[in-house]
Amino acid sequence: MIKQTQSDTELEEKGWATAKTLAEALPYIQIYDREIVTIKYGGHAMGDEAVAKLFAGDIVLLKLLGISPVVVHGGGPQISAMLNRAGVKSTFVDGLRVTDDATMEIAEMVLSGAVNKEIANWITRAGREADVRGVGLSGKDAGLLMVEKATRIKKDPDSMIEQVVDLGYVGEPKVVDDKLLRTLINDPEHDYVPVIAPIGVAEDGLTYNINADTVAGAVAGKLNAKRMLLLTDIAGVLDADKDLIRQMTVSEARQLIEDGVAVGGMIPKLETAIGAIEAGVEAVVILDGRRPHAMLVELFTEHGAGTLITRDPVQ
């Protein structure tokens, strides 16, 4: 005869709480069933091994719940660390790293090499019991990302004359060839998760570094993703008073940029969200990737997490 102890009772209560959470998540799980969700994984959370393992586990969970996750990753802090070791200084324009020959070589080594393969490996390890496998790719694989050179225009603060800023080997996605991605997503016998490094090739064969947010938006638009999640190292979009904005429309996002409320790296994030929604993505969420299970809270709970950006209502 085995009697129940206090410890058993506590474990049983936790079990009931877990069952209740799963039951409450059912309506949201059905919403995303067999849909594509593109996830941009970046920020300083990528450097925390414990958080990275949780992220990989959540990606596997999404796959096993019938969702098709596609991961696009950044690696800014990792690139900066390697550049510092090499004695190469970085400058930024509107959140984009100016990329010369030396910087491009290091960026590709870090992004397509160490970071990309590490994320793919974490997903494969997290999904080994169910045989979910991360597949590391860059935009150079199978012509996935064709790019054109990016430029930015800045006003001289004294003369107010507009000048074109040369960003070097910084590109913007021109064509996304989704054949390989759809082959991996739709494989009838294997559960593959594409993991994409933001490196692309121009028509002249030169390699370009691309803002990972921009890549995620272009890929999400091409794949007609149900959602795009931009995981970063801030809680979401902040207003002029530094308060979190829970939800906004495309027009309101544009206004934040025009008013100068959105600055630095938030500008390309909002521009990416706007472009993705206009390309057919239902909604974009900017949320804090440092918080454990942030993706699950966003997708499977009523409250969500971060800032939800949607298209303007039809008049």
Side-chain angles (χ1 to χ4, degrees):
M1 180 182 296
I2 299 176
K3 294 185 178 181
Q4 181 161 302
T5 65
Q6 178 65 30
S7 177
D8 292 334
T9 302
E10 291 174 356
L11 288 174
E12 184 178 356
E13 288 302 316
K14 288 181 179 179
W16 284 107
T18 300
K20 181 174 182 291
T21 300
L22 289 172
E24 291 173 348
L26 178 60
Y28 304 100
I29 293 173
Q30 293 187 78
I31 289 173
Y32 295 104
D33 182 44
R34 283 173 276 194
E35 297 282 0
I36 295 172
V37 174
T38 302
I39 300 130
K40 186 270 180 170
Y41 181 44
H44 291 84
M46 291 177 57
D48 187 320
E49 185 174 306
V51 175
K53 288 181 178 180
L54 290 175
F55 169 80
D58 288 350
I59 291 292
V60 171
L61 179 58
L62 295 183
K63 188 69 176 178
L64 295 177
L65 287 173
I67 297 169
S68 295
V70 176
V71 178
V72 177
H73 67 81
Q78 290 84 351
I79 293 173
S80 294
M82 187 63 73
L83 288 172
N84 288 336
R85 288 185 202 170
V88 180
K89 293 184 178 180
S90 290
T91 58
F92 292 82
V93 176
D94 290 342
L96 299 176
R97 189 190 304 269
V98 178
T99 306
D100 58 13
D101 289 312
T103 304
M104 185 65 245
E105 183 178 351
I106 290 174
E108 183 171 18
M109 177 179 66
V110 172
L111 293 171
S112 298
V115 174
N116 182 263
K117 304 313 174 189
E118 183 177 69
I119 295 171
N121 181 52
W122 282 126
I123 293 171
T124 300
R125 288 172 60 84
R128 59 184 176 272
E129 295 297 327
D131 201 24
V132 177
R133 305 185 188 190
V135 181
L137 305 168
S138 86
K140 297 173 79 170
D141 292 312
L144 175 57
L145 292 173
M146 295 297 295
V147 305
E148 57 187 6
K149 184 178 173 63
T151 58
R152 286 293 184 272
I153 297 176
K154 300 288 286 184
K155 281 186 178 180
D156 183 279
D158 298 322
S159 65
M160 298 303 290
I161 297 176
E162 292 186 341
Q163 299 175 333
V164 177
V165 179
D166 186 358
L167 299 173
Y169 294 101
V170 175
E172 292 182 343
K174 184 179 180 182
V175 178
V176 177
D177 188 330
D178 62 344
K179 294 185 186 68
L180 178 57
L181 295 179
R182 291 194 181 275
T183 297
L184 292 170
I185 290 169
N186 298 322
D187 189 294
E189 298 181 1
H190 302 93
D191 288 324
Y192 292 125
V193 177
V195 180
I196 305 169
I199 298 292
V201 182
E203 290 184 1
D204 58 8
L206 293 176
T207 301
Y208 283 80
N209 184 22
I210 319 168
N211 179 274
D213 297 330
T214 307
V215 173
V219 169
K222 183 68 175 181
L223 293 174
N224 298 118
K226 178 80 169 179
R227 278 286 188 278
M228 180 171 74
L229 307 181
L230 294 179
L231 273 63
T232 183
D233 51 10
I234 56 174
V237 183
L238 306 181
D239 63 15
D241 297 322
K242 305 302 180 184
D243 293 324
L244 178 65
I245 301 171
R246 282 289 178 187
Q247 185 169 343
M248 66 168 62
T249 64
V250 164
S251 293
E252 291 168 337
R254 282 200 178 98
Q255 197 63 49
L256 285 182
I257 297 173
E258 292 175 10
D259 293 344
V261 175
V263 296
M266 184 53 69
I267 295 173
K269 285 180 174 57
L270 289 177
E271 289 176 341
T272 291
I274 292 167
I277 292 169
E278 291 179 340
V281 177
E282 186 178 280
V284 177
V285 185
I286 300 174
L287 64 163
D288 192 346
R290 299 169 302 178
R291 299 195 66 179
H293 310 305
M295 290 188 296
L296 305 184
V297 172
E298 170 54 37
L299 295 175
F300 302 133
T301 69
E302 182 178 358
H303 188 260
T307 301
L308 176 71
I309 304 171
T310 61
R311 59 177 44 89
D312 292 296
V314 179
Q315 299 296 326

